[in-house]
Amino acid sequence: EVQLVESGGGLVKPGGSLRLSCGASGFNFSVYTMHWVRQSPGRGLEWVSSISSSGSYTYYSDSLKGRVTISRDNSKNSLTLQMNSLRAEDTALYYCARDPQSSEFPRPNYFDPWGQGTLVTVSS
Amino acid sequence: EIVMTQSPGTLSVSPGERATLSCRASRSVYNNLAWYQQKPGQAPRLLIYGASTRSTATPARFSGSGSGTEFSLTISNLQSEDSAVYYCQQYDQWPPMYTFGQGTKLEIK
């Protein structure tokens, strides 16, 4: 069974940092493009970042570019999102999601499946 | 950025009836459109991709149609378990700038 399990969320003060992780199992992690998507009551569902299967290509939403870094460790089946200079508007449930098909190079795609999410709260 | 607009915001339909949910893109996304279902406390689940192709676990009661800027999700013979929020997502842009609609909440009377 394909599983994606996020961790690392929590309460952080504005300007602080947080490192989110996503552990993958049940599939060959190293051949799939992976994504982070967040959800908040005010902003709805919002794509955050994507990384190619090898990690060579990374993409970021304009709203978070420069403040987040996506990375992966294929030897550990792990995806990471390093978040810096956090703001109140970054408060959200952060989901890890997978591309539906394996590919060497990233391409436009939908997300399937999704993890259950990890909650990030930015507040003083 | 491609803006996705869903309507209506909330839809209340009786069991056994049919519900039609709409999604409009601010510019053509061809057929690069997906639909997701999200139940309370759960992550979104893929229903439809390519505007009209059901994912493997999606019942045949769910159908998607449309292309370009106008899309719809139709759910026939509504069941109580179809109560959820439904989102559309475009995946036409590259480099990626994926965007979602704001969602339609479907209530089963």
Side-chain angles (χ1 to χ4, degrees):
Chain A
E1 179 192 5
V2 173
Q3 277 202 315
L4 299 170
V5 180
E6 301 91 338
S7 61
L11 175 63
V12 61
K13 289 181 168 54
S17 298
L18 213 54
R19 187 178 181 89
L20 307 184
S21 296
C22 172
S25 61
F27 64 100
N28 186 356
F29 179 75
S30 66
V31 298
Y32 284 85
T33 294
M34 298 295 296
H35 314 272
W36 287 99
V37 179
R38 68 182 182 181
Q39 184 174 31
S40 64
R43 300 170 74 104
L45 284 166
E46 183 181 14
W47 168 74
V48 173
S49 181
S50 303
I51 186 168
S52 63
S53 56
S54 65
S56 297
Y57 303 96
T58 57
Y59 307 92
Y60 301 97
S61 70
D62 288 344
S63 63
L64 286 148
K65 195 176 293 183
R67 299 192 296 120
V68 300
T69 303
I70 191 171
S71 61
R72 64 191 295 162
D73 185 339
N74 287 343
S75 69
K76 296 182 179 178
N77 291 345
S78 178
L79 176 71
T80 299
L81 186 71
Q82 176 67 43
M83 307 174 66
N84 302 322
S85 303
L86 284 163
R87 307 165 181 166
E89 54 264 36
D90 295 320
T91 295
L93 186 60
Y94 284 73
Y95 293 104
C96 163
R98 193 195 74 176
D99 245 23
Q101 312 99 359
S102 62
S103 62
E104 183 178 359
F105 298 104
R107 57 177 181 163
N109 232 323
Y110 46 96
F111 310 119
D112 183 43
W114 301 50
Q116 285 302 303
T118 186
L119 182 62
V120 172
T121 303
V122 185
S123 175
S124 55
Chain B
E1 176 182 309
I2 300 174
V3 177
M4 308 300 291
T5 303
Q6 291 186 242
S7 61
T10 303
L11 187 59
S12 185
V13 187
S14 299
E17 294 189 340
R18 182 171 63 186
T20 299
L21 289 63
S22 296
C23 175
R24 174 177 293 178
S26 60
R27 66 95 162 146
S28 176
V29 297
Y30 303 93
N31 69 336
N32 298 310
L33 191 284
W35 288 93
Y36 301 88
Q37 177 192 66
Q38 186 177 35
K39 296 182 178 180
Q42 296 183 16
R45 180 176 76 91
L46 177 71
L47 290 175
I48 302 280
Y49 62 92
S52 60
T53 303
R54 282 188 297 274
S55 72
T56 53
T58 303
R61 303 184 291 105
F62 291 81
S63 63
S65 63
S67 66
T69 62
E70 302 284 343
F71 301 89
S72 63
L73 174 69
T74 300
I75 312 169
S76 303
N77 187 22
L78 278 164
Q79 310 290 309
S80 57
E81 60 263 31
D82 299 331
S83 180
V85 180
Y86 292 83
Y87 296 95
C88 61
Q89 176 230 333
Q90 66 79 18
Y91 51 100
D92 187 67
Q93 285 184 276
W94 194 260
M97 191 57 65
Y98 306 118
T99 50
F100 295 83
Q102 79 279 21
T104 291
K105 183 177 183 179
L106 176 63
E107 298 175 342
I108 311 301
K109 294 177 184 175

